[in-house]
Amino acid sequence: MKNIGYDDSLKDMDFFSPQLINATMLKDSTYLLQLSYDGIINGKPVSRAAFRLLARKQDNRFYFYAPLNRNTTAWKSRKEGNVIFRYKDSINHAEAKKYAHYNELYLKKLNKTGQQTTLYCCDDFQEALQQTGIDYKSAYSGVRANSLSAHERDKSIIVNGHFTSAFRNFDPHDMWHEKLRIVLSPEKINRPVDEGCAYLYGGSWGLSWEEIKTLFKAYAHKQANADWLKLYLDGTDFKEGQEPLKVGYFINALLIQKLEKEKGFAAVMELLACGKKEKGDANYFAALQKLTGITQQQFNANVQMLMAAL
């Protein structure tokens, strides 16, 4: 709901105004509210979003909250590590353990080991929206798979509409990105470094890190006189197609592996936070030189040494 009234074209924070379209008393001191955010564009009504909220009166105040608990009262629960899984009928135990393993691995690196995660396993994103009280939101129109999440202090709630309780589409690579954004603003994250971490810790496209290394070594064998700096700056793929793998991401994985071994993960976080990728990558190379001593002019030589150790 944050900034839901904002219209980008008019730069107006309150263009889509909220209307209370229903208020129903469910029981003493508890109400169901329905809100609609609408505006007029070129003389025609446009709907931005519609939400359902619950409100409870207590100590002369009203507390507002999403209907998630109410909607999932009959769901089952299973705990693995620091993850509580909520699901309707059955759950893939092996994949749940795998999820909990990567959850612990990533949070340990990010210094969030005490965090408790509750994961709601929905059948699809539309169910995730329904369970959280989002009847409609224009930004989600046509979206089939996605997740909603909230993080506060030492707790995370994830309403997953990407993989079901069977975990058919669970990807440790994507999970890394999700966990990193709990502790680091997307505005600060350098994507090639972020992707390098995801390759190293979670693989990519269903491939493990070892399998990615094998593919890259075969590619590098055919690039005897490669200019790795140019390939990095150009965003070249070493595996093409619908599931590409990038040279720059792999190189970052090697640099991250070395940096973490020598200086710990705090140094990796500093490289991750060097800022969004920009033309020429000046911010990246400045951070890389500060943390590793590797200048842009020395990049090729150092990459060759890292590859020689594969």
Side-chain angles (χ1 to χ4, degrees), residues 30 32 50 64 72 92 94 128 149 154 157 162 186 196 204 223 234 243 250 261 264 279:
T30 302
L32 170 67
F64 299 88
T72 58
N92 186 324
S149 61
D154 59 349
I157 294 176
H162 183 61
S204 186
Q223 309 292 325
D234 290 348
E243 298 178 346
F250 184 86
K261 182 178 180 180
K279 188 175 181 180

Side-chain angles (χ1 to χ4, degrees), residues 258-278:
K258 174 181 170 63
L259 184 59
E260 185 174 10
K261 182 178 180 180
E262 294 177 353
K263 295 188 176 181
F265 191 76
V268 176
M269 280 294 290
E270 190 172 343
L271 188 61
L272 277 162
C274 71
K276 285 190 172 184
K277 179 175 172 58
E278 58 186 21

Side-chain angles (χ1 to χ4, degrees), residues 216-260:
F216 186 84
K217 283 192 284 187
Y219 169 84
H221 184 70
K222 301 175 183 177
Q223 309 292 325
N225 299 309
D227 184 341
W228 298 110
L229 177 61
K230 185 176 187 305
L231 294 173
Y232 185 99
L233 294 172
D234 290 348
T236 303
D237 296 336
F238 68 89
K239 177 181 177 294
E240 299 178 340
Q242 292 185 334
E243 298 178 346
L245 296 170
K246 290 193 173 293
V247 170
Y249 298 173
F250 184 86
I251 289 173
N252 269 311
L254 296 181
L255 290 167
I256 290 159
Q257 193 173 42
K258 174 181 170 63
L259 184 59
E260 185 174 10

Side-chain angles (χ1 to χ4, degrees), residues 26 72 119 235:
L26 300 177
T72 58
L119 177 72

Side-chain angles (χ1 to χ4, degrees), residues 145-169:
N146 203 350
S147 292
L148 304 169
S149 61
H151 313 283
E152 186 175 355
R153 297 187 183 92
D154 59 349
K155 293 183 179 180
S156 286
I157 294 176
I158 302 170
V159 187
N160 192 285
H162 183 61
F163 49 80
T164 68
S165 55
F167 292 86
R168 292 190 186 93
N169 297 316

Side-chain angles (χ1 to χ4, degrees), residues 2-27:
K2 187 176 181 181
N3 297 327
I4 198 64
Y6 179 69
D7 181 76
D8 186 57
S9 61
L10 299 174
K11 307 300 180 186
D12 184 347
M13 290 298 299
D14 300 309
F15 180 80
F16 293 96
S17 58
Q19 303 294 324
L20 179 63
I21 57 176
N22 181 39
T24 303
M25 179 180 282
L26 300 177
K27 56 184 179 180

Side-chain angles (χ1 to χ4, degrees), residues 96-115:
K97 287 183 178 180
K98 180 179 175 183
Y99 181 97
H101 163 75
Y102 279 101
N103 182 74
E104 183 178 357
L105 173 68
Y106 294 158
L107 292 180
K108 184 176 181 180
K109 286 185 180 295
L110 297 168
N111 198 27
K112 299 283 287 185
T113 51
Q115 187 163 27

Side-chain angles (χ1 to χ4, degrees), residues 48-102:
R48 169 57 62 89
F51 302 104
R52 281 172 292 128
L53 295 173
L54 293 174
R56 183 179 72 251
K57 187 176 183 181
Q58 182 177 320
D59 300 328
N60 296 318
R61 297 182 180 184
F62 277 100
Y63 295 85
F64 299 88
Y65 53 102
L68 181 61
N69 284 342
R70 173 185 171 87
N71 291 341
T72 58
T73 299
W75 285 28
K76 299 176 182 177
S77 295
R78 180 183 179 88
K79 192 173 189 300
E80 294 284 351
N82 282 339
V83 182
I84 298 172
F85 297 92
R86 300 296 312 280
Y87 56 98
K88 291 192 288 290
D89 300 310
S90 61
I91 191 168
N92 186 324
H93 295 167
E95 288 298 308
K97 287 183 178 180
K98 180 179 175 183
Y99 181 97
H101 163 75
Y102 279 101

